[in-house]
Amino acid sequence: MSKLADLENIFYDMYPDGFDDDEMRSIEKKHKLDKFSKMSQEMFSEEAFETQDIVDNFYKIVNRSTLVSRFEKPLFKTFIQSIDEEEKEQLVSHLHEYVHGDEEKGFLGMIAIMQPYKVAKWPILTVLNAYLNLEEDVFIKPTTVKMILKYFDSELEYTSKPNYEFYRDYRSFFNTIKLEASSGIKSNNPSFSGFLMMTIGK
């Protein structure tokens, strides 16, 4: 993967200490990935689905996340305030499938309930699992994903309308690239995505 090696060279030219560089540590501190991961695991454990307000927990994760754009948060807040009790129960069921059961079924269910409110957006749909599985899952930010696919000449075609096939295939593609990275670059997935975003086009 010569293209990946080129990016690593660019990265180490910019940050000789890699992810231990002071600026990189500052960026990592800002995003609080470990904190959000731990919080998500507690808020969406099997036990939590029996005892906690899952819809409220989902809102907290999206609203507090530094990964989700501030422009998308007000629409999501309106969605949460607008759905009735039946829709809330459906959303909880879809979230449970997504996190603990049939991922595809849960993902498609979330799209179905969010679509009428125009909040079925890639960042909203993928942020939770990105925190729950820092090493395996992916956060899909459209501009970043399109840039990565173009740079690596991938045959995958980004679709603005969320669908499970692209989510699954992009995750596999992304993790394959990370597998080829040198040990100093193999951070968690949000950080590795940040590395790609910072170096492509430099």
Side-chain angles (χ1 to χ4, degrees):
M1 301 219 102
S2 60
K3 287 196 168 190
L4 179 59
D6 290 341
L7 297 183
E8 292 188 10
N9 290 333
I10 292 170
F11 181 69
Y12 281 116
D13 282 344
M14 295 167 60
Y15 307 105
D17 294 325
F19 284 101
D20 289 327
D21 183 272
D22 288 343
E23 186 175 344
M24 292 302 299
R25 285 185 178 275
S26 177
I27 293 172
E28 186 177 37
K29 185 177 181 180
K30 170 192 168 187
H31 288 297
K32 304 175 184 176
L33 294 175
D34 290 337
K35 176 183 176 181
F36 273 102
S37 181
K38 183 178 179 181
M39 184 167 68
S40 298
Q41 288 166 9
E42 292 173 351
M43 285 180 162
F44 296 91
S45 66
E46 280 282 11
E47 294 77 15
F49 274 90
E50 299 294 331
T51 61
Q52 297 185 29
D53 186 341
I54 297 299
V55 172
D56 185 51
N57 287 351
F58 190 33
Y59 171 72
K60 287 178 181 176
I61 291 296
V62 172
N63 189 53
R64 296 176 185 177
S65 174
T66 58
L67 302 179
V68 177
S69 166
R70 63 187 177 89
F71 299 109
E72 291 171 323
K73 293 177 181 181
L75 285 174
F76 186 71
K77 181 178 181 179
T78 300
F79 161 69
I80 293 296
Q81 292 173 337
S82 301
I83 55 178
D84 58 29
E85 289 304 314
E86 182 179 350
E87 289 172 311
K88 285 183 179 181
E89 289 180 9
Q90 291 173 0
L91 178 58
V92 171
S93 177
H94 299 323
L95 284 166
H96 186 269
E97 284 286 359
Y98 181 52
V99 175
H100 295 291
D102 183 329
E103 182 185 71
E104 179 176 5
K105 182 180 178 182
F107 189 83
L108 295 177
M110 288 164 59
I111 291 175
I113 199 168
M114 292 181 186
Q115 203 105 55
Y117 296 89
K118 303 187 186 306
V119 290
K121 308 292 186 182
W122 279 117
I124 300 294
L125 292 163
T126 59
V127 68
L128 177 56
N129 262 11
Y131 283 135
L132 287 171
N133 308 298
L134 288 176
E135 304 298 330
E136 296 295 331
D137 226 299
V138 287
F139 173 71
I140 296 185
K141 182 177 181 180
T143 52
T144 301
V145 169
K146 286 187 283 187
M147 183 171 60
I148 291 171
L149 292 175
K150 182 178 179 180
Y151 178 79
F152 287 102
D153 298 319
S154 173
E155 294 180 359
L156 274 179
E157 291 188 17
Y158 168 80
T159 58
S160 58
K161 187 176 181 180
N163 64 87
Y164 184 76
E165 288 74 21
F166 180 81
Y167 177 51
R168 177 198 62 206
D169 293 344
Y170 178 73
R171 178 170 56 194
S172 176
F173 166 78
F174 183 92
N175 284 323
T176 298
I177 293 174
K178 192 179 77 166
L179 194 64
E180 298 295 329
S182 62
S183 58
I185 302 293
K186 286 181 181 176
S187 186
N188 58 55
N189 280 6
S191 295
F192 187 71
S193 182
F195 149 74
L196 294 174
M197 182 179 67
M198 286 187 294
T199 53
I200 291 175
K202 290 291 185 180

